[in-house]
Amino acid sequence: MRSDAVPSWLFRRLLGLVYLFAFWSLARQVAGLIGHDGILPASEYMNQIREWVAGQQIGIDRFRLFPTLAWISTTDAFLTGLSIAGIVLSLLLILGVTPLAVLPLLWILYLSLSTVGQDFFTYQWDALLLETGFLAIFVAPVAWLDRLRDARPLPRLGKWLLLWLLFRLTVGSGAIKLASGDPTWRNLTALTFHYYTQPIPTPVAWYVQQLPLWFHKATTAAVIGLELFAPLLFVGPRRLRITACWLLVGLQAGIALTGNYAFFSLLSASLCVLLLDDRPFARFLPAPPALPAPPALPAPPAPPALRTSRVRRSLLIAVAILTLPVSIVNFGRSFRVQLSALNFAAPLVELTFPFHSSNTYGLFAVMTTTRPEIIVQGSEDGVEWKTYEFRYKAGDMNRRPPWVAPHQPRLDWQMWFAALGSYEGEPWFQRFCLKLLEGSPDVLALLERNPFPDRPPRYVRAELYQYEFGRDRWWTGKRLGSYSPVLSLSNARP
């Protein structure tokens, strides 16, 4: 094995683990989110797409514009089957079984669900997984079984494309915080709000929130500094690359300890592993047996492995030509910069956009400084109201913030975004209320507690509260007003 074969082998296992968590999470909730009786049915969405492409007289290009296996079917069994197939393939990737065949299938399955996932698939880690998974296809080893003892380094170009992705992810996240003009980042007070205003905090976030102001300012500066400057070490000597790896892995560990961000931290850390080499793992590897020198033989014709290597190199060059200009344009957007010199890349941006093979990254460009929270209630008579309890989002003020990652409860996350907007501007939330009035079992399965187990309520309403971490209990809150009107089956259809 050459210098970075073990990190390459480990990267594939970590990517398989990320895929496993992602598909496992989806299998638990896909019916309630986009199933036939879900909040945003994929069947209705695909019917609208079919009508649109027919009206526009779009032929085979429809499969590029909407790349999904949902063209075949949108039944609950089919959508759940895609998730279960993803789980099985993820396990095969972790075990190292035919990665060159498994990786494209995993990417196609996740892209298919993302394409019909609508509002529930708008997260940066979904885009990051698709981009990472796409690049991983072109560096997969050609082997029936990807064993550690036979591991080989990633092709050099493929490795640098993956590190370029990590660079854009990290620097873009730091740059957009400053380029946004948000004063909380510039005066280093952003983390005084972040721990309780983020979508789903962990219990650790409550304790960190109690720390003094100087700590929050110091850690805010550290986050921005790490995101902007640690990636500059990627092109340095070995020690600097290893330092960058552990700094960024430490940053992701801090994010994972204080917030439930699905598989984002694990996926980011898996890219950081590519900054390492074999030396830290040498003690765990058996020494290769000493073999006698073979006798001199005439040079044989190019073996299949060499021909495969040439094909791979050609494919990687094509991928680089296709994606690098697009990624540079997207990277410029992190700085709020339009790169006019790359206007020629506009057709490439349009061509590749549906595949999410190159994306713009940057979480929390503008820090939310308050936490509006939607409390959904139902009633039989319009007088006595009972509260629907969600599994993970803030609700009961005496309930401890949960540990939920790497699972992502997408409904709970969307409730956080809905609270930042208005009822009229969130059609998916209107559909959610309608499903509560109809008593959809798949949607109710996404909740912790249904206060109407026998029959659905006649009325549903949403109240808006403002939440903060408490001192003697987990949460405190006060009512701000109504988020939605009182809804019934006669007026709830969006």
Side-chain angles (χ1 to χ4, degrees):
M1 290 183 293
R2 297 209 313 261
S3 61
D4 58 350
V6 176
S8 303
W9 180 90
L10 183 58
F11 164 73
R12 290 188 289 274
R13 266 63 189 176
L14 292 174
L15 181 58
L17 192 60
V18 169
Y19 267 127
L20 177 64
F21 289 141
F23 282 111
W24 163 76
S25 178
L26 289 174
R28 299 175 56 185
Q29 51 188 325
V30 68
L33 297 176
I34 60 173
H36 180 267
D37 202 26
I39 299 170
L40 295 175
S43 56
E44 295 182 13
Y45 183 61
M46 288 303 297
N47 287 339
Q48 293 171 7
I49 289 173
R50 287 186 177 94
E51 292 177 6
W52 181 79
V53 297
Q56 298 292 319
Q57 298 183 332
I58 298 174
I60 196 171
D61 196 42
R62 68 183 64 188
F63 301 114
R64 179 191 65 84
L65 294 172
F66 302 98
T68 176
L69 295 175
W71 287 105
I72 301 172
S73 173
T74 53
T75 64
D76 290 7
F78 186 78
L79 295 173
T80 303
L82 295 181
S83 301
I84 294 173
I87 292 173
V88 174
L89 290 169
S90 301
L91 291 171
L92 292 178
L93 181 59
I94 293 170
L95 294 173
V97 178
T98 59
L100 187 58
V102 167
L103 278 164
L105 294 175
L106 283 168
W107 182 75
I108 290 170
L109 290 176
Y110 205 76
L111 178 63
S112 295
L113 290 167
S114 298
T115 299
V116 295
Q118 304 162 82
D119 295 58
F120 297 111
F121 276 81
T122 57
Y123 303 104
Q124 291 201 14
W125 37 90
D126 292 321
L128 180 62
L129 179 53
L130 285 169
E131 187 168 354
T132 305
F134 176 75
L135 293 175
I137 293 170
F138 300 95
V139 296
V142 183
W144 288 106
L145 189 61
D146 180 20
R147 297 177 296 189
L148 179 58
R149 67 185 183 189
D150 301 323
R152 294 291 181 269
L154 296 182
R156 189 174 300 276
L157 178 57
K159 178 178 178 179
W160 281 108
L161 286 174
L162 286 163
L163 289 178
W164 168 237
L165 168 58
L166 177 61
F167 184 91
R168 288 187 288 116
L169 169 68
T170 309
V171 175
S173 296
I176 205 166
K177 291 177 174 62
L178 300 180
S180 68
D182 180 23
T184 67
W185 287 112
R186 296 195 173 187
N187 62 27
L188 304 181
T189 60
L191 293 188
T192 63
F193 306 102
H194 168 71
Y195 297 108
Y196 73 89
T197 62
Q198 64 182 312
I200 304 179
T202 67
V204 173
W206 187 91
Y207 292 100
V208 176
Q209 180 66 48
Q210 317 305 322
L211 295 174
L213 177 63
W214 67 263
F215 175 85
H216 295 303
K217 286 195 169 188
T219 50
T220 302
V223 166
I224 296 174
L226 283 174
E227 290 179 336
L228 289 177
F229 299 110
L232 301 180
L233 306 179
F234 290 3
V235 295
R238 175 179 180 270
R239 289 184 181 274
L240 292 182
R241 293 196 305 272
I242 292 176
T243 299
C245 172
W246 293 121
L247 286 174
L248 294 178
V249 168
L251 174 62
Q252 293 303 324
I255 293 172
L257 281 172
T258 57
N260 288 287
Y261 293 95
F263 49 80
F264 173 72
S265 293
L266 178 59
L267 182 53
S268 301
S270 71
L271 289 167
C272 294
V273 166
L274 297 175
L275 293 165
L276 301 176
D277 55 32
D278 287 347
R279 279 193 238 174
F281 307 97
R283 71 184 68 178
F284 305 107
L285 301 175
L291 298 175
L297 296 173
L306 182 57
R307 292 195 294 271
T308 302
S309 176
R310 290 171 179 168
V311 172
R312 184 202 301 274
R313 187 180 303 112
S314 299
L315 287 173
L316 278 171
I317 291 171
V319 169
I321 291 172
L322 185 66
T323 62
L324 273 176
V326 178
S327 65
I328 293 171
V329 170
N330 288 332
F331 185 52
R333 291 172 181 168
S334 302
F335 297 85
R336 299 290 197 266
V337 173
Q338 295 293 332
L339 300 174
S340 57
L342 291 177
N343 285 340
F344 72 90
L348 292 178
V349 173
E350 181 181 355
L351 177 69
T352 60
F353 176 77
F355 300 99
H356 303 285
S357 56
S358 183
N359 306 286
T360 302
Y361 300 101
L363 294 169
F364 296 105
V366 176
M367 182 58 63
T368 51
T369 57
T370 60
R371 185 189 185 91
E373 198 69 58
I374 298 172
I375 305 299
V376 180
Q377 299 174 325
S379 175
E380 291 283 357
D381 55 11
V383 176
E384 180 185 359
W385 294 89
K386 298 179 182 178
T387 299
Y388 288 91
E389 192 67 37
F390 287 73
R391 290 186 186 276
Y392 305 107
K393 86 174 190 70
D396 181 353
M397 297 181 191
N398 293 311
R399 188 176 68 174
R400 188 187 72 174
W403 292 103
V404 56
H407 170 53
Q408 185 191 357
R410 294 175 184 261
L411 173 60
D412 296 60
W413 262 81
Q414 283 300 122
M415 291 294 292
W416 183 83
F417 285 104
L420 300 177
S422 66
Y423 171 77
E424 293 75 16
E426 302 290 343
W428 78 265
F429 181 78
Q430 300 170 29
R431 292 292 300 262
F432 170 62
C433 292
L434 174 62
K435 292 301 178 181
L436 295 181
L437 290 166
E438 293 175 346
S440 167
D442 291 330
V443 174
L444 290 170
L446 300 174
L447 303 176
E448 176 69 19
R449 186 175 67 87
N450 172 21
F452 301 94
D454 299 323
R455 61 180 182 181
R458 294 179 60 193
Y459 306 102
V460 165
R461 71 180 185 185
E463 300 286 279
L464 192 65
Y465 282 68
Q466 182 168 300
Y467 271 46
E468 294 181 0
F469 280 153
R471 285 286 182 177
D472 54 353
R473 61 177 179 171
W474 295 107
W475 295 101
T476 62
K478 63 179 181 180
R479 184 179 180 275
L480 299 177
S482 296
Y483 180 79
S484 78
V486 175
L487 304 169
S488 65
L489 285 176
S490 62
N491 71 347
R493 298 188 181 277

